[in-house]
Amino acid sequence: MAQRLSEPDLPDDIDVTVLDPSVLQDLRGLAKDNADRVAKHMIMASELLEDDPQLALRHARAAKNRAGRVGVVRETNGVVAYHAGEWKEALSELRAARRMTGGPGLIAVMADAERGMGRPEKALELGRTPEVAELNEADRIELAIVMAGARHDLGQHESALATLDRLGPSLDSEGLEQVRLSYAYADALLALGREEEAKTWFEHVADIDVDGMTDAEDRIAELG
């Protein structure tokens, strides 16, 4: 009860129907009033994630305290904890969610949380689990970027480049996932001292990064 009294306030005008129908379905096992509050806390956690990750985490925790046996709630808590830099909590919650729901879960997020805790070897172990075969293309790219980062953490820059190479980066590519892959590839080339090649890839990123998500232009300027 004390935990619920300390929950962050909820605005009166939250429309729970904006949640994915599958999430609402998962919450139907709860009492109606409780399900409604859990849904509202999840919505607030999502809306606040970018601007106020700590408050977002308070909402995610409130949802978890009310619905700790619902996998998607635990997964939300884990993702928000990750964005708030609470690596240990993120891993705990995402592991719980995977036990409840099965499947590959958010392996890339879990692996990056391991990196955040200074355990790149553990991140690489996650990248070798059988569930990786179930990932879609976008999630495979995300995981490869994290795996390459873990290799960089260990000073294994050649292995980092090889990890990304297996995803077939191309100077003809486009799309959000390819922006991230190409940027990571440029970074890996730079870590090996291959500056001209890195510059070519940063230029490619700048061309396809229509939303300005990266600092590719700045990286090109730094390379002259």
Side-chain angles (χ1 to χ4, degrees):
M1 180 63 72
Q3 285 179 324
R4 295 191 177 186
L5 290 174
S6 67
E7 288 180 0
D9 293 335
L10 289 167
D12 295 329
D13 59 349
I14 301 177
D15 178 9
V16 299
T17 63
V18 301
L19 275 180
D20 188 287
S22 65
V23 175
L24 294 173
Q25 179 66 38
D26 287 346
L27 298 179
R28 283 183 183 168
L30 306 173
K32 188 177 185 307
D33 287 348
N34 190 36
D36 188 65
R37 291 192 70 82
V38 169
K40 289 179 178 179
H41 279 303
M42 291 177 72
I43 290 168
M44 290 303 296
S46 176
E47 290 184 353
L48 291 165
L49 188 56
E50 186 172 335
D51 295 330
D52 193 342
Q54 292 301 325
L55 181 54
L57 184 54
R58 287 184 62 206
H59 280 286
R61 287 169 175 167
K64 192 276 290 281
N65 289 337
R66 287 176 168 272
R69 294 185 179 182
V70 180
V72 68
V73 175
R74 301 297 289 271
E75 183 177 284
T76 298
N77 193 172
V79 171
V80 176
Y82 166 79
H83 283 282
E86 297 289 346
W87 315 122
K88 186 175 181 180
E89 181 177 355
L91 282 167
S92 176
E93 294 303 309
L94 291 172
R95 284 174 184 148
R98 284 181 73 189
R99 287 195 297 271
M100 292 174 182
T101 61
L106 295 170
I107 292 179
V109 177
M110 294 174 67
D112 208 30
E114 292 284 13
R115 287 184 64 210
M117 294 180 70
R119 302 191 303 214
E121 297 92 344
K122 291 284 188 183
L124 293 171
E125 284 179 22
L126 274 170
R128 291 191 287 266
T129 54
E131 294 94 334
V132 170
E134 302 175 39
L135 296 175
N136 61 33
E137 182 185 11
D139 289 337
R140 282 200 303 274
I141 289 173
E142 194 65 33
L143 180 61
I145 292 170
V146 174
M147 295 297 98
R151 292 293 184 187
H152 285 308
D153 295 342
L154 294 166
Q156 300 170 359
H157 304 307
E158 288 281 4
S159 293
L161 185 66
T163 296
L164 298 169
D165 239 339
R166 285 193 284 272
L167 274 292
S170 167
L171 290 172
D172 294 323
S173 64
E174 56 185 27
L176 175 61
E177 287 82 17
Q178 293 299 323
V179 167
R180 291 181 47 72
L181 177 60
S182 297
Y183 187 96
Y185 196 69
D187 242 354
L189 287 166
L190 196 57
L192 290 167
R194 294 160 62 174
E195 293 187 3
E196 283 304 314
E197 291 171 87
K199 185 178 179 182
T200 296
W201 280 90
F202 280 127
E203 288 170 345
H204 172 59
V205 173
D207 286 341
I208 65 174
D209 183 9
V210 294
D211 295 322
M213 291 177 48
T214 71
D215 62 350
E217 296 280 4
D218 295 334
R219 303 297 297 275
I220 295 164
E222 288 170 8
L223 290 169

